[in-house]
Amino acid sequence: MPEQVVEETRLLQVGYALPTRKIESFMIPQFINYAKQQNVHFIPIDISQPLTNQGHFDIIIHKLYTHQWNQNLHHFTTTTTNHHPNTTTVIIDPPSAIHRLHNRITMLQPISQLAIPQLTTPTQQLVHHPISSLKLDFSFPVIVKPLLVDGSSNSHDMSLVFNDEGLTKALTKGLELEPPPMVVQQFVNHGGVMFKVYVAGEYVKCVKRSSLPDVLEEMVEKMGLECGGVMKFSQISSGVTTLMAAAAGDEVVEMPAPEFVVAVAEGLRVELGLRLFNFDMIRDEKGDGYLVIDINYFPGYEKLEGFEMVMTEFFLNVKESENQKKMMTTMVDDESQVLKE
């Protein structure tokens, strides 16, 4: 009786270079164990050492924005391409594509390229200092945000502004000598609901989240006087939001149509050149249109139910796609060789 040969399935090696907070929230035991059952093995990357000295990775995921890391990644991809052309490592995603999401102006520019009906972005303006001659074509309230999104707590220091006095406070950030560039964005009433759309390759999931309640026109002056013209998002108490919600009413905001969400997600995936991101979208209470207000790289997928299966499947699909590319390349090369002969 011939001896039966059992082929061992090789583990899919996924290297990760993530900040500590991301590792603690994303690389949890349940995820690691589930992925290993599907032959996906996670390997922590030592960012102080060259990637070329750390063995083989089928896939690398990362969320580090230092110059040193970008140089390390660039050297690794260049070396692999030049010296090991048959060894492919898929980098998710290229730093050059991620970089545009660090700027609140450039991150939303791709929306206009999609040409999807009923989809737009809020009116916004970049403000540099000094602001003595500042002219804005906005009506209050507005939202003031730092221009740069660098992962720091300051990048999420946002304010809801009700009048000129509050705007000056928000833009100058109190007594700070050199306030950073800021973005002033028109606040749009949206029923107190935001839609967060998570994208992981072909996977698209839209979930509903609570947001700032609507602010009626007759409430702007009153609320501005009560808070000195500006309220930081982090300081908006439940009492204040309850007052705002009561004044605005209790509108039920329906989920956007699934085909609309998928169209936006697929369009952004192409325009951004990214596979791991999410975008925040609101519905304008004055019409049927939607506005994208923010785009984030490598968001908190762990907040999704069953994220272990979603992300494991994503990694397996990436590898399968890479294998198919190799097969097609080999077939083309073989056909070319036959024609030459």
Side-chain angles (χ1 to χ4, degrees), residues 299-316:
Y301 292 104
E302 64 276 3
K303 298 172 185 175
L304 295 173
E305 183 178 354
F307 94 95
E308 300 92 344
M309 292 180 285
V310 170
M311 296 310 297
T312 300
E313 189 70 18
F314 166 73
F315 294 126
L316 293 172

Side-chain angles (χ1 to χ4, degrees), residues 162-174:
F162 298 93
N163 54 37
D164 290 319
E165 178 189 0
L167 183 60
T168 300
K169 292 178 182 177
L171 291 175
T172 56
K173 299 177 72 67

Side-chain angles (χ1 to χ4, degrees), residues 151-172:
S152 68
S153 58
N154 289 336
S155 65
H156 298 287
D157 185 13
M158 296 182 270
S159 301
L160 183 62
V161 176
F162 298 93
N163 54 37
D164 290 319
E165 178 189 0
L167 183 60
T168 300
K169 292 178 182 177
L171 291 175
T172 56

Side-chain angles (χ1 to χ4, degrees), residues 33-48:
N33 293 334
Y34 177 84
K36 196 164 187 178
Q37 292 173 8
Q38 310 302 317
N39 296 313
V40 177
H41 180 54
F42 295 109
I43 305 170
I45 291 173
D46 184 350
I47 61 174
S48 68

Side-chain angles (χ1 to χ4, degrees), residues 11 130 224:
L11 290 174

